[in-house]
Amino acid sequence: LMLDGAADGGGRGACSSPDGANEPKHVVLNVGHLPTADLDDLRSTVRTSLDIMNELDGGKEEGFVANVLCVLPTKNSSSPGPSLGVSWRSVREINLSVWTGPEHAGRWYRRSKGHREIVSQHRSGSLKTFGNLLLSLNASSARWQRRCKACRLTEDSLEADICSKCGAETWKLPLF
């Protein structure tokens, strides 16, 4: 699990991907939106998102390729500083879950404790402002391009360690 982000109140992200991940073929995309600085909704959605990340972090789930979570606040431009400790006015939460197929994703989502918890909160009305877009996407093609360290052109292959144009090494590229 990797965490990244700026200390200035900018976005944060986490990525979980097991070693030896399979080729991505199916993506579940959830784009959540908190239109107000509602700390209860933010705590609840981030907590369940992190629970889901932890569930997937072991890399033992069949068909799992990767999960990426980004939390992106929009700063409150009308206020010079934090108001009651909050300097943002809205938040986008983007969760990208990548699988080898829809059957693997569906099986995991049906069994996930974290996913059941957030769905329960959606249905019960305990979330006050959070709304989201949920998309399931099947890959029609996948194309990896590794860039040459010398001439900076690309090679169209995940396994292309050497540039076919100049013979120099290419930058390594993970499966996801």
Side-chain angles (χ1 to χ4, degrees):
L1 183 66
M2 299 180 302
L3 295 174
D4 188 35
D8 65 357
R12 300 291 183 264
C15 178
S16 175
S17 182
D19 291 335
N22 296 306
E23 186 173 339
K25 301 272 187 181
H26 181 76
V27 175
V28 178
L29 173 65
N30 187 335
V31 181
H33 182 66
L34 289 133
T36 66
D38 188 293
L39 290 175
D40 291 333
D41 276 16
L42 180 64
R43 280 187 202 107
S44 184
T45 57
V46 169
R47 185 184 68 246
T48 55
S49 293
L50 291 174
D51 287 346
I52 288 169
M53 292 292 292
N54 286 327
E55 287 178 33
L56 291 169
D57 195 37
K60 296 180 176 95
E61 191 64 39
E62 183 182 2
F64 174 63
V65 177
N67 195 66
V68 178
L69 170 66
C70 298
V71 179
L72 306 169
T74 301
K75 289 189 172 190
N76 189 350
S77 59
S78 64
S79 172
S83 172
L84 299 173
V86 178
S87 62
W88 49 272
R89 63 179 168 88
S90 66
V91 173
R92 286 282 170 104
E93 294 177 9
I94 302 168
N95 190 333
L96 184 73
S97 177
V98 185
W99 302 86
T100 58
E103 66 283 354
H104 297 118
R107 185 178 317 118
W108 182 82
Y109 276 100
R110 286 188 297 277
R111 294 190 315 223
S112 166
K113 182 180 175 189
H115 186 254
R116 271 194 314 274
E117 174 63 26
I118 197 67
V119 168
S120 171
Q121 291 175 33
H122 270 288
R123 290 181 177 158
S124 72
S126 64
L127 295 173
K128 296 180 283 291
T129 65
F130 182 80
N132 66 317
L133 164 68
L134 182 61
L135 293 173
S136 291
L137 310 163
N138 289 315
S140 59
S141 67
R143 183 175 170 194
W144 284 265
Q145 294 184 311
R146 287 177 61 167
R147 190 159 302 277
C148 176
K149 292 180 178 183
C151 73
R152 298 187 295 249
L153 296 177
T154 58
E155 287 293 322
D156 289 336
S157 172
L158 184 62
E159 291 83 26
D161 294 329
I162 303 297
C163 177
S164 63
K165 286 112 185 138
C166 74
E169 286 185 355
T170 60
W171 293 102
K172 300 282 184 222
L173 184 64
L175 188 59
F176 190 89

